[in-house]
Amino acid sequence: DGAADRRVRLSTLSLWPRVLLAEDFLTPAEAELIVSRADGHMHKSGVSLKEADRGKSSSDYRTSSQWSYPLWDEAILPLDRRVQQLTRIPMTHAEQIQVLRYLPNEHYTAHHDFFDPGEYSGRDRESGYASNRLLTVFFYLSEPEEGGETGFPRAGKLPQPRDFLDCSRGLAVKPQRLAVLLFYSMLPNGEFDQTSLHTGCDVKKGVKWSANFWF
Ligand SMILES: O=C(O)CCC(=O)C(=O)O
Ligand SMILES: [Fe+2]
C-alpha cells in the first residue's frame, strides 16, 4: 500500500520528558479503520486506583471512553510493523491498542503511564513488578476543533503542578490527525521519569479520537 517505505520525520518536542512527534505517520485508511472498528464498542474508561486514592471514583480522573483493538488483527499488521520499526521494540512487548474517544468536556487528569508498584496493592501491584510501561506511542485519529491537547505540565523539569487539569504550563501538543506522539515514561537506566507526567486536556469543541500503543 506504499506505507511500508514511507519516510518518517521525527521532531523532538522535549528532552525532559523525551517527547517526539511523527507527523503523517498513519495513513488516512488506517485512522478510519481504527475509528470505525472501535465506534459502537466504546465504554467508559477507568483507571487503576492507587492505595492512597482508595474509595475515590476512577471516573473523576478519566472521563473518556475506550475500547481495545486486537493488536494481531490482520488489517493493522502493516501498521504494527511500522511502529516496531520506528520504536525498535519488538511487538511482543506491546499491549493491545487502546482506542480512546473524548467528547466535549472529557479529559484525563495528569498521570504517569508507568505503574509504581509501591503505590498499588493486589493484582495491580504484582503486574507492576512483572512488567511496566516504557514508551507510549499515541495515535491522533481525529482533530477536535478546540482543546484536547496532550499536556506535559512538567516539561523542562518544571515542579509538580497543583492543578492536574491545567494545560497552560509546560508543553501542550495539539492533536494532529495521522500524527503519532512518542513519549518515554522510563529513563534509559530503567528508572521512572517523573517528568513524564501528562494530561489528556479537556476537549472544548468537537471529538478527539486517539489510541494508546504501549510498550
Ligand atoms: O488523551 C491524551 O492526550 C493522553 C491520554 C493518556 O495519557 C492515556 O490514555 O494514558
Ligand atoms: Fe497516559
Side-chain angles (χ1 to χ4, degrees), residues 62 108-109 111-113 133 136 138 150 183 185 196 198-200 212 214:
R62 194 178 193 189
Y108 189 178
T109 54
H111 63 278
H112 295 110
D113 281 357
R133 288 175 183 156
T136 302
F138 196 67
T150 305
F183 57 93
S185 294
S196 68
H198 59 278
T199 311
N212 279 305
W214 276 304

Side-chain angles (χ1 to χ4, degrees), residues 117 120-131:
Y120 294 85
S121 63
R123 211 165 59 96
D124 288 333
R125 185 177 185 131
E126 283 161 35
S127 65
Y129 281 116
S131 62

Side-chain angles (χ1 to χ4, degrees), residues 55-113:
K56 290 193 187 162
S57 164
S58 65
S59 59
D60 298 343
Y61 298 98
R62 194 178 193 189
T63 57
S64 54
S65 297
Q66 69 183 64
W67 181 68
S68 286
Y69 195 117
L71 189 59
W72 302 106
D73 186 278
E74 193 83 38
I76 57 150
L77 285 184
L79 173 58
D80 287 348
R81 212 164 289 131
R82 271 159 39 237
V83 169
Q84 180 170 286
Q85 282 167 357
L86 180 68
T87 60
R88 302 181 187 178
I89 303 177
M91 210 41 62
T92 46
H93 291 247
E95 297 179 31
Q96 302 269 69
I97 300 176
Q98 184 188 66
V99 185
L100 304 176
R101 184 195 62 203
Y102 296 80
L103 300 175
N105 300 318
E106 292 185 342
H107 54 255
Y108 189 178
T109 54
H111 63 278
H112 295 110
D113 281 357

